[in-house]
Amino acid sequence: MQVKESLRGLSPYQPGKSIEEVKREYGLPDIIKLASNENPYGSSPAAKAAIAAELDRLAVYPDGYARTLREKVAKHLGVKETQLLFGNGSDEVVQILCRAFLEPGANTVMAAPTFPQYRHNAIIERAEVREVPLVDGRHDLEAMLAVIDENTRIVWICNPNNPTGTYVNDTELRAFLDRVPRHVLVVVDEAYYEYATAPDYPQTVPLLNEYEQLVVMRTFSKAYGLAALRVGYGVASETLIRAVEPAREPFNTSTIAQAAAAAALDDQAFIRACVERNRAELERYYRFCEENGLKYYPSQTNFLFIDFGLDGDEVFRYLLERGVIVRSGQALGLPTGVRVTVGTKEQNDRVLELVSQLLREKQLA
């Protein structure tokens, strides 16, 4: 038996180590996981109540149209219900778009490094992947424009970018969209949209009225704290959504996930509180890095990439052995640092204490 050629040599996504795995491996009772950019404050109490209310309906298939959630998201964004595409996490929206647009002979353009599932799914569809290196951690939009040709089907802009946390501002994005050929789909992945506080961070949903080839992606996995339930969505023109819907699997979001996401969307006070705490803790990390001569990328997300000038795996292991899970830059295309999810004050206290200890031992402080 042979799998399709595009799968050969392609590795599955490697998530960070789980809390249970680290406990077993190192015999540690308390673990702080700051590797996957989850919301350290959990999720809205309203979402938990909505989950409980659905537990007697587990034997029934979910609403394939996700009507209640669809109506709430449409109202929240100010778009039509028919402009929405829901996925089992935004990862599935990426997969659906790749399935719908990419094929042998086509190419897709993205930054490097960025969210790896763009590349992964493009390879499965046997499309050419054109990666454009970041400049100072930011998308090089001019260089991305330069590699677009008549066979380009999708351009991906992760905004803010994972793993650097940097962003493309409103002026830059508009200028880019004005110059992208009309046959090219532009996907702006805003998984961390709720955390972005920069005054010139683009408001992309209104741009859908100006650019018919634009798709905006968002998720309930990050700020909304529903990563375990897997709900993401794309927003685009009605025509585009109608064209790609056949590539979506039926019943791809669960009843519980739909109910929790709908309730979470109603609790914007929870989101505002999480964002405020996140920004305050980010500022602590900035001060620490500046006081200790560590390079970092200013972030519009709930994570920070810190460049230690060391092997990222070494920093990762040092923290792991002491009960803190972060993400090594070696796995992210930035080999001399680590990506740290911004946790609670108490969690960050522990991280900064351990990093100070590491810097002293390495005589870097």
Side-chain angles (χ1 to χ4, degrees), residues 163-213:
T164 56
T166 57
Y167 73 106
V168 173
N169 69 34
D170 182 72
T171 301
E172 293 165 339
L173 181 61
R174 284 176 174 271
F176 181 79
L177 290 169
D178 284 338
R179 296 169 64 189
V180 173
R182 298 299 94 179
H183 71 275
V184 178
L185 190 73
V186 178
V187 182
V188 180
D189 184 350
E190 297 183 336
Y192 299 92
Y193 168 81
E194 289 78 13
Y195 286 112
T197 59
D200 59 350
Y201 181 82
Q203 294 305 311
T204 46
V205 171
L207 296 181
L208 295 170
N209 296 320
E210 300 177 44
Y211 303 97
E212 63 181 11
Q213 82 272 42

Side-chain angles (χ1 to χ4, degrees), residues 13 87-98 115 117-118 121 156 189 217-219 221-222 230-233:
Y13 178 78
N88 189 243
S90 55
D91 305 62
E92 192 190 22
V93 179
V94 172
Q95 183 185 58
I96 291 168
L97 294 174
C98 287
F115 185 54
Q117 293 307 103
Y118 314 147
N121 283 285
W156 306 89
D189 184 350
M217 291 198 315
R218 294 185 186 168
T219 184
S221 293
K222 303 303 181 184
R230 317 303 299 126
V231 187
Y233 60 93

Side-chain angles (χ1 to χ4, degrees), residues 214-292:
L214 177 63
V215 177
V216 177
M217 291 198 315
R218 294 185 186 168
T219 184
F220 285 92
S221 293
K222 303 303 181 184
Y224 286 94
L226 299 176
L229 298 182
R230 317 303 299 126
V231 187
Y233 60 93
V235 197
S237 70
E238 291 179 280
T239 301
L240 197 154
I241 295 297
R242 186 165 55 248
V244 302
E245 268 284 355
R248 180 180 64 83
E249 295 295 330
F251 308 118
N252 62 328
T253 57
S254 73
T255 297
I256 287 177
Q258 291 176 26
L265 193 65
D266 285 339
D267 191 357
Q268 290 300 307
F270 174 81
I271 298 298
R272 288 191 294 271
C274 291
V275 171
E276 184 177 337
R277 292 176 181 176
N278 177 75
R279 185 51 50 179
E281 291 302 306
L282 255 178
E283 294 293 337
R284 287 184 65 207
Y285 272 101
Y286 293 168
R287 290 193 296 272
F288 177 88
C289 289
E290 289 159 7
E291 290 167 1
N292 289 277

